[in-house]
Each structure stands twice: as C-alpha cells, then as structure tokens.
Amino acid sequence: MEAVPGGELLEPEVLRSQDGVLRVDLVAEARVTEVAGRRAQVLTYNGTLPGQTWQVRPGDRLEVRLRNELDTATNLHTHGLVVSPQGNGDNPFISIAPGESFDYRIDLPEDHPTGVFWYHPHRHGTVADQLFGGLYGAIIVTGDEVPVSRDRSLIVSDISLTTDGTIAPVSAQEVMMGREGGLPGVSRTRLL
Ligand SMILES: [Cu+2]
C-alpha cells in the first residue's frame, strides 16, 4: 500500500501527573476533523483523535471526570492497567448517559509495571461504534528509566470512513472480530 506523502508528524498532547495525581477533564463528543487529508465526522476525546496521552507513575492516582456529549451511553476503561474494577474505579458496569458526567478515581499500586497502555470506552452495547469512531488515547506509566534525548508517542489511527466522511457502519462480524481501517497511509489528524 502506498503511503500518503507529506504531512508533519503530530503527537497527541501529553498530560503528566503532579504530586502523585493526574486530574483529567475528559469530554467525549462528535467533531469534524481532518483524517488523512479528508474531512471526517468522528468521535473525539477533548476534541482530538487520538485523545491526549496520560503520563503517570506507579503509585499515582488518576482522577478523570468524563462528560458524555455523545448521543449514546459510554464509560471508561484503562486497558492493561492493573487496577481495581470496582466502585468508581475501572468498572465496566458503569454507564454514563448522554449529557451526564462521572468521576473516576483509579489508583495505581506502587508496584505497577511501567509501559504503554490505553484508554477507551467499554460500555456493553456501544463499545465497537465508539472505539471505531475514534475514542482512544494512550496511557504511559513511567518509572525511573535512564533519561533519553526525547520520548515520542506514536498512535496509529486506522479507521474506516464512508465517501461522505462519516465513520463506516460497524457490522456484527466487526463487533466480534474488530476490523482493519480503509484509509491508506493514515499519518495525521488535524482539528478543523
Ligand atoms: Cu481494552
């Protein structure tokens, strides 16, 4: 497949924890952006696809206020984090109705492994549409690594658009199996 040339490399904005806490006001909403040179109606976290990158350390607390501006119910899952699934933690049974907000509190244990993880909706019945629509972002758990010149986070958005620039409908098969995107050489997204 031929890559689309040009286009500067864009990294999602990085939000870092301070004094052991990362507070995030997170808004899920539909927006018009540019994806691979095309105007696209997608779903976004805080207006971008992918959403901001969250950088935390073992032992930190994540406080996320998620406001649902979508027209379907949603919630939040921190994929790969070794954290509690109960209460207002990483609880897949939480359902946030359109127009509602929810305050998550997710405590990372002191011995949490470092690495790259991600967040996305995990509300039963709407996961595939919201995930394929563009709702995802990276979580990086850092430790005391040897300093390098510069860390860069690359997130590949491989989404499927219809000819009129909306997200392609998700089939029952794709709900179960996932899907590959239909855009060649997706390299960047830009907010319009
Ligand atoms: Cu997941």
Side-chain angles (χ1 to χ4, degrees), residues 10 17 21 45 51 62 71 81 101 108 112 130 150 161 171 173 175:
L10 294 184
S17 62
V21 183
Y45 279 134
L62 252 173
D71 54 12
L81 292 191
S101 297
L108 280 73
H112 195 286
Q130 293 179 1
R150 182 160 178 215
L161 296 174
S171 71
Q173 163 108 345
V175 168

Side-chain angles (χ1 to χ4, degrees), residues 77-80 118 120-122 131:
H77 174 53
T78 54
H79 188 120
W118 61 301
H120 64 84
H122 208 303
L131 190 55

Side-chain angles (χ1 to χ4, degrees), residues 9 12 23-24 32 57 63 69 141 147 155-156 167 182 185:
L9 178 68
R23 287 190 190 89
V24 182
V32 174
R57 300 174 66 87
E63 292 183 358
E69 295 294 335
V141 182
I155 301 172
V156 178
I167 296 290

Side-chain angles (χ1 to χ4, degrees), residues 81-164:
L81 292 191
V82 187
V83 292
S84 170
Q86 297 185 315
N88 59 352
D90 189 345
N91 183 343
F93 295 109
I94 289 166
S95 182
I96 309 167
E100 304 273 294
S101 297
F102 188 85
D103 290 321
Y104 284 93
R105 177 180 159 159
I106 295 167
D107 290 301
L108 280 73
E110 293 287 347
D111 61 351
H112 195 286
T114 58
V116 178
F117 307 90
W118 61 301
Y119 60 95
H120 64 84
H122 208 303
R123 199 274 190 186
H124 186 70
T126 58
V127 179
D129 289 308
Q130 293 179 1
L131 190 55
F132 296 157
L135 292 181
Y136 45 82
I139 303 172
I140 298 178
V141 182
T142 57
D144 295 314
E145 291 88 4
V146 177
V148 292
S149 56
R150 182 160 178 215
D151 272 339
R152 305 208 73 159
S153 310
L154 299 185
I155 301 172
V156 178
S157 297
D158 187 19
I159 67 176
S160 295
L161 296 174
T162 61
T163 48
D164 64 358

